Amino acid sequence: MKEAVQVTILGQQYTVKSESGAADVYRVAAFVNDQLSHVARGKKTVDTLNSVILALMNLAGAHLQLLDEHTEAEKRLFRLLKRLEDEAVDRNSAR
């Protein structure tokens, strides 16, 4: 059952409905707030839309990098698994 959770992002109150639970919603809201604050830091004027777009670009870049790393790790895992399988077949053939 979805739970309604009140969070504040950039000073604006939001009601978020989630099946994940309040702790997860608060964690995500804090992360979003941190990302937006990081982007807004050092700017004299804060344009919310620009801050959101820059934060999304940063998050998308990090997400895509993780996807690439995951893909590479998966390829390496399959190569290692293939080597193990080949070695097992070779050992069984030698018997």
Side-chain angles (χ1 to χ4, degrees):
M1 183 172 175
K2 290 186 178 183
E3 179 181 355
V5 181
Q6 290 281 327
V7 295
T8 304
I9 298 173
L10 291 180
Q12 179 73 36
Q13 288 273 334
Y14 295 92
T15 300
V16 179
K17 291 184 180 179
S18 175
E19 292 184 7
S20 298
D24 287 339
V25 173
Y26 291 133
R27 182 174 178 233
V28 170
F31 180 76
V32 169
N33 246 340
D34 288 345
Q35 292 298 310
L36 292 170
S37 295
H38 176 73
V39 167
R41 238 178 254 133
K43 292 185 172 185
K44 292 181 181 180
T45 60
V46 178
D47 177 354
T48 303
L49 179 59
N50 285 341
S51 293
V52 169
I53 290 171
L54 291 173
L56 282 171
M57 291 293 293
N58 289 341
L59 291 170
H63 174 73
L64 292 172
Q65 182 178 354
L66 287 172
L67 283 177
D68 290 345
E69 290 171 8
H70 177 268
T71 300
E72 287 303 313
E74 197 172 51
K75 287 178 185 175
R76 183 168 187 265
L77 181 62
F78 283 122
R79 284 193 306 268
L80 290 171
L81 183 58
K82 176 77 172 118
R83 283 177 51 194
L84 283 172
E85 289 171 345
D86 291 347
E87 184 68 27
V89 167
D90 290 346
R91 287 187 183 197
N92 285 335
S93 297
R95 289 182 186 185

